[in-house]
Amino acid sequence: MHSTGIALAFLFLIVLALMYLRNSKVLRAERGGLFDACLALFEQHRLTQDGVSWPVLAGSYDGYEVHVAPLVDDAAFRKVPSLWLLVTVKRKLPIKGAVDLLARAQNTEFYSPADSLPLRLVPPEEWPSQTTIKADKPATELPLSVLDPHVKQFFADPRAKEMLVTPHGVRIVYQAQGADRSEYLVLRRAVFREARLSTTLVESLLDQAVQVCADVIRGGVYGQT
């Protein structure tokens, strides 16, 4: 009897391991298709995916080096998790400081550098409300006037979360998808069903970030006295 129990327990562990491997394979494949519909946008690209994590894309778009990374945010208590898309355009910009614009700040934005920036700036009256501006240089040394039309356009979308402009380029953060509400409320699991990025969405976000870079470059030199 004792040996039979050990054998059954061993068999049970094998079954669990096989189920885990199967589920992991399915989950990896589901998440791995996130960028399938928009790969043709890039002149060249490289996808990396560790285990069952979401894939990350690095490549070139319109002559710019870009990086597109999904990020799951489930830090806010009692709030349905979000799948954020971090779209970065890498380009040397003629500014010395960094400026970060964050919409609806809740102090749970672990992906944002806002807390590390020492200065809080007063946003222009015409800019969307609920927008927090943090920087490491005074407003006079930052291209706020150049950013004005981009800020108004980007943050007019309720899914827009952040715009970060630094000497190394521009990053925007956008909500790609919200988690399944019922599954999260009952099981506290962040499940994003059939998550796929559309060509239209990715192209729009890349174009916005590229245009910010282009306008900052065209606007001249800031904060280099």
Side-chain angles (χ1 to χ4, degrees), residues 8-139:
L8 288 173
F10 185 69
L11 180 61
F12 179 69
L13 290 175
I14 292 176
V15 171
L16 284 180
L18 291 174
M19 290 176 61
Y20 173 78
L21 290 174
R22 178 183 177 278
N23 292 339
S24 296
K25 185 177 180 180
V26 171
L27 183 58
R28 176 182 170 84
E30 287 179 352
R31 292 180 172 179
L34 182 69
F35 292 101
D36 283 357
C38 58
L39 293 179
L41 290 171
F42 301 91
E43 289 125 23
Q44 59 182 17
H45 69 271
R46 180 171 60 90
L47 286 172
T48 57
Q49 185 180 14
D50 295 328
V52 297
S53 63
W54 294 91
V56 173
L57 185 148
S60 59
Y61 176 83
D62 197 24
Y64 288 78
E65 181 183 354
V66 300
H67 186 269
V68 186
L71 183 146
V72 174
D73 177 10
D74 55 2
F77 184 61
R78 291 184 177 178
K79 182 180 179 182
V80 176
S82 289
L83 180 65
W84 298 113
L85 200 61
L86 280 61
V87 177
T88 304
V89 172
K90 300 178 181 180
R91 189 65 172 256
K92 185 176 181 180
L93 300 180
I95 58 176
K96 284 292 187 181
V99 56
D100 182 79
L101 299 96
L102 188 64
R104 303 170 301 280
Q106 298 180 357
N107 297 321
T108 59
E109 291 85 3
F110 58 89
Y111 49 83
S112 171
D115 285 346
S116 65
L117 297 173
L119 303 178
R120 179 161 183 167
L121 307 182
V122 178
E125 292 184 4
E126 310 82 28
W127 284 17
S129 59
Q130 300 182 328
T131 302
T132 302
I133 307 178
K134 297 293 293 294
D136 57 4
K137 295 287 183 181

Side-chain angles (χ1 to χ4, degrees), residues 174-192:
Y174 186 88
Q175 186 190 41
Q177 188 174 333
D180 184 278
R181 183 177 182 82
S182 58
E183 185 132 10
Y184 179 72
L185 293 178
V186 175
L187 301 176
R188 291 297 174 188
R189 291 198 310 167
V191 176
F192 301 90

